[in-house]
Amino acid sequence: MASFPLVPYQQPSYKGGFPTWVKPGDRKLLQTSSAASKANVVVAKDGSGNGSGRYVIYVKAGVYNEQVEIKAKNVMLVGDGIGKTIITGSKSVGGGTTTFRSATVAAVGDGFIAQDITFRNTAGAANHQAVAFRSGSDLSVFYKCSFEGYQDTLYVHSERQFYRECNIYGTVDFIFGNAAAVLQSCNIIARNPPQKTVTLTAQGRTDPNQNTGIIIHNSQVTAASDLSASSVKSYLGRPWQKYSRTVFMKTSIGGFINPAGWLPWDGNFALDTLYYAEYANTGSGASTSNRVTWKGYHVLTSASQATPFTVGNFIAGSSWLPNTGVPFTAGL
């Protein structure tokens, strides 16, 4: 993967002083000086001598056609907004690479944060798996970002991840992986698939003892304008692995979702061992009266059943998200 094309540093404008994600010890990161005006990135230790300050990279508005892998810890990419700062690529399985290596941007180092950026893969639906973003970063946070692709758009590969007020576009398995990932107050938008079947999620838990899963909380599931509900069958997910776990809670589900709700992967594979659940969802596609009758599917009817899948419990968010300054709801 190419190194990131660092733009000349320019201090971003934030009303009311420093943004909330800048801790006092990190403030030197954003202070300008004669040296900073010539620097690609301005970095300063937090004064503790252990180098624990966050490394902030400001990516100005523009379209960056790159493939980026971020290996360092505690890196933050902050852009000028969705649709303004765009990092785009077009690697795909159809184009000869692997799903893992197709990611336009990948975060590996722990503590990664992205804010106000669009991550895009333009390979197109016909090229099959083509990842816009892959995260294997523990305690990674994505705030007001957009992930745009078709099949396998967002690869929540591993570790604890939190998404807030993000947009995720795709066709097949477009939120997938084996992280402990919570998407809160997000927009999940299904695009028109050439094979006429949409699956929003494909969670990859391989062992019942893994504390992983994809949790969709207080979000919206909608169809893009190009999706024809009459000719496309759309589902909340299908089991990529034997113990696939996905929960939709207090989410608005559009009427384009098939009444069965969930789609088998291959015959009876994983139908008894998966854990799929729905709790207090709304919208014309939220009725559970005609859902699948698999042993692993559950309609949760009480807050006590749903609470284990909240930000506070599922990813212990109350212990680490406050330090990021990103808003979150710890409970239901």
Side-chain angles (χ1 to χ4, degrees):
M1 292 185 176
S3 59
F4 192 80
L6 297 175
V7 299
Y9 177 83
Q10 177 175 322
Q11 182 171 337
S13 172
Y14 294 96
K15 294 181 180 179
F18 292 102
T20 56
W21 44 259
V22 179
K23 292 177 290 186
D26 293 333
R27 287 180 176 173
K28 292 179 183 178
L29 287 166
L30 299 180
Q31 292 173 352
T32 56
S33 67
S34 58
S37 65
K38 300 177 182 178
N40 294 116
V41 177
V42 177
V43 181
K45 290 185 178 180
D46 62 2
S48 66
N50 60 12
S52 63
R54 189 170 300 283
Y55 188 95
V56 180
I57 301 173
Y58 168 47
V59 189
K60 295 173 65 176
V63 178
Y64 301 84
N65 194 338
E66 295 290 337
Q67 194 175 26
V68 184
E69 186 169 37
I70 299 161
K71 297 181 179 179
K73 294 182 178 181
N74 297 321
V75 170
M76 178 175 189
L77 295 184
V78 57
D80 280 323
I82 290 174
K84 295 179 180 179
T85 297
I86 301 167
I87 306 176
T88 186
S90 58
K91 298 287 186 182
S92 68
V93 168
T97 190
T98 64
T99 301
F100 187 86
R101 290 296 175 192
S102 70
T104 299
V105 179
V108 179
D110 293 347
F112 177 80
I113 301 178
Q115 179 176 327
D116 293 319
I117 296 179
T118 292
F119 301 100
R120 183 179 290 168
N121 191 312
T122 61
N127 277 307
H128 306 290
Q129 297 93 331
V131 176
F133 197 100
R134 165 171 51 85
S135 179
S137 167
D138 194 21
L139 310 181
S140 52
V141 177
F142 304 85
Y143 181 42
K144 294 185 176 179
C145 289
S146 186
F147 304 89
E148 301 175 3
Y150 296 89
Q151 183 170 348
D152 290 8
T153 302
L154 177 59
Y155 195 171
V156 293
H157 181 268
S158 54
E159 309 296 345
R160 291 164 289 181
Q161 308 181 15
F162 179 64
Y163 297 77
R164 173 80 181 200
E165 297 170 40
C166 291
N167 301 330
I168 306 99
Y169 296 81
T171 53
V172 176
D173 305 340
F174 64 95
I175 304 168
F176 79 110
N178 196 24
V182 180
L183 286 69
Q184 190 174 80
S185 303
C186 290
N187 297 307
I188 299 169
I189 304 120
R191 288 175 145 173
N192 190 54
Q195 67 279 60
K196 302 306 178 186
T197 301
V198 163
T199 44
L200 306 185
T201 66
Q203 204 279 329
R205 193 166 65 138
T206 58
D207 186 286
N209 296 310
Q210 292 173 339
N211 60 348
T212 56
I214 294 171
I215 314 300
I216 313 292
H217 179 219
N218 193 31
S219 295
Q220 294 195 35
V221 173
T222 60
S225 58
D226 67 343
L227 190 148
S228 172
S230 61
S231 61
V232 173
K233 290 186 176 180
S234 300
Y235 301 88
L236 299 175
R238 59 177 182 157
W240 180 29
Q241 299 294 343
K242 187 175 181 179
Y243 297 96
S244 181
R245 180 162 62 178
T246 304
V247 181
F248 283 77
M249 309 191 300
K250 290 191 169 181
T251 286
S252 174
I253 299 176
F256 73 101
I257 293 294
N258 189 279
W262 305 84
L263 183 70
W265 184 272
D266 184 13
N268 292 322
F269 171 74
L271 303 188
D272 289 348
T273 50
L274 58 76
Y275 184 92
Y276 284 165
E278 298 181 56
Y279 173 72
N281 296 311
T282 58
S284 52
S287 172
T288 58
S289 59
N290 293 306
R291 288 295 197 250
V292 293
T293 57
W294 309 336
K295 181 179 178 181
Y297 171 71
H298 307 273
V299 177
L300 308 183
T301 56
S302 68
S304 62
Q305 291 175 308
T307 294
F309 304 107
T310 59
V311 165
N313 286 315
F314 197 68
I315 57 173
S318 298
S319 68
W320 58 278
L321 284 172
N323 288 334
T324 69
V326 172
F328 69 96
T329 300
L332 290 170

